[in-house]
Amino acid sequence: MACSHLVLINHKGELSRQLQDLLEICLFAMQHLKVCRIQPKLLFVLRDQHDRSSDVHGDALRLMRKHLSEASKHLDIRLEDLVSLDPGSVFLLPSAFASDLDPHTGHERRWSTELFAQDMFRLRRKIFGTGSSNTIGDRFGEEGAPEFSTLSDWCLHAMSVWRGLDRYGPNLLHYKTMQEIEVQRELEEAVKHIGSQAINGEHGLAAETTRLLDDCTKRLNVGAKSEQVDAEFRSALGALQDACAAKCQAELGRCLQARRATIP
């Protein structure tokens, strides 16, 4: 998506939830990598379609656009700022081959259909029409995307995108759905809140450690043996740390249990 004005998504069957999840993760990666200054146009090429009327996949495309828009809101960006997805973004293709029994031999015979060939030519015209220089210049502007002005500039841009994916991809693309990303964010926020309360809250680790340090300092000032005070300080500090860790784990367990109850 970051290296092309037009992205062909060759898919067998209907627009599915799995395909939508994949696109949501792509949007998430595009937003975080910051390597794309254009809005690539998506074109779904759906193969093996028996009913190819214009309204067949209209509802599915509108539903996908709705979900992608909601996903982009979680990224604090509009869908239109990432990709272009219009009502004409679906191209339906029939099966490439037909089969029947040979009346002379009784064996199955397969052949390529003329209908598929004609539709493929229509798809090519649509692709070249979308990707023509005039169309690209009108929609994206050469000045706004200099990395697409020459082949050399595009190669440098593609190399830069690849380096970004190679460096940050494992941390961005290992998610399967946007729900996983949202759960990860909720978990991070919960851990931060629990840790902050356990350390800086009333009777937290910081306050208890300060009191322990003050007590040990007073004992040293009145002549207590430093070796004994040091040993007791280390023991008490370890107990405070263990108690704080146990409290954090218990609170995190309650948060996770409450979160699981909300998952359908």
Side-chain angles (χ1 to χ4, degrees):
M1 288 185 180
C3 295
S4 178
H5 292 93
L6 177 65
V7 179
L8 298 178
I9 302 175
N10 187 6
H11 185 67
K12 182 177 181 179
E14 301 177 351
L15 297 174
S16 61
R17 176 67 196 188
Q18 290 78 10
L19 181 59
Q20 175 188 312
D21 291 337
L22 177 61
L23 290 175
E24 289 180 357
I25 298 303
C26 289
L27 297 181
F28 171 73
M30 286 177 63
Q31 170 65 0
H32 282 75
L33 289 175
K34 305 291 185 183
V35 292
C36 186
R37 290 191 291 174
I38 63 171
Q39 295 77 45
K41 178 180 176 61
L42 302 186
L43 179 59
F44 298 95
V45 180
L46 305 183
R47 298 176 284 116
D48 297 339
Q49 301 297 315
H50 298 289
D51 187 354
R52 295 182 295 118
S53 59
S54 58
D55 297 332
V56 171
H57 295 276
D59 292 338
L61 181 61
R62 284 189 290 270
L63 182 61
M64 174 173 285
R65 181 180 176 83
K66 176 184 176 183
H67 287 305
L68 292 179
S69 296
E70 293 174 352
S72 64
K73 290 179 181 178
H74 291 296
L75 303 175
D76 297 325
I77 193 172
R78 297 188 310 133
L79 177 64
E80 293 77 10
D81 294 332
L82 291 175
V83 296
S84 173
L85 188 62
D86 55 52
S89 297
V90 175
F91 194 93
L92 305 177
L93 286 176
S95 298
F97 296 93
S99 62
D100 202 351
L101 291 178
D102 190 314
H104 301 291
T105 64
H107 297 153
E108 182 179 2
R109 184 167 59 93
R110 288 167 54 87
W111 65 93
S112 59
T113 64
E114 181 65 23
L115 179 61
F116 180 82
Q118 292 179 1
D119 282 350
M120 282 302 302
F121 277 116
R122 288 199 303 113
L123 175 60
R124 289 180 181 180
R125 287 195 295 269
K126 183 179 182 67
I127 292 172
F128 290 128
T130 303
S132 65
S133 58
N134 291 335
T135 304
I136 291 176
D138 292 340
R139 292 183 64 235
F140 304 103
E142 293 295 339
E143 295 181 0
E147 57 268 31
F148 291 90
S149 59
T150 67
L151 179 59
S152 177
D153 291 333
W154 179 85
C155 288
L156 292 176
H157 172 66
M159 291 171 60
S160 175
V161 172
W162 183 259
R163 284 194 295 267
L165 286 174
D166 184 56
R167 182 175 181 181
Y168 301 108
N171 294 327
L172 295 175
L173 302 178
H174 72 278
Y175 297 106
K176 294 182 179 179
T177 65
M178 278 297 294
Q179 185 181 22
E180 287 188 14
I181 297 174
E182 291 301 313
V183 170
Q184 177 73 17
R185 288 178 174 176
E186 289 182 21
L187 181 60
E188 291 176 356
E189 291 298 323
V191 170
K192 289 179 182 178
H193 177 72
I194 292 172
S196 177
Q197 290 296 317
I199 295 175
N200 301 317
E202 186 178 3
H203 304 298
L205 180 62
E208 294 298 325
T209 302
T210 300
R211 280 194 286 270
L212 175 62
L213 185 60
D214 291 341
D215 180 65
C216 291
T217 301
K218 291 178 181 178
R219 292 176 59 191
L220 289 173
N221 290 335
V222 297
K225 293 183 178 181
S226 60
E227 293 82 0
Q228 181 179 357
V229 173
D230 180 68
E232 293 177 358
F233 173 79
R234 292 176 182 274
S235 177
L237 180 61
L240 288 175
Q241 291 174 334
D242 292 341
C244 181
K247 181 179 179 181
C248 289
Q249 290 178 353
E251 184 63 27
L252 180 60
R254 285 191 290 270
C255 289
L256 293 177
Q257 188 65 31
R259 183 64 178 84
R260 290 192 191 99
T262 63
I263 298 178

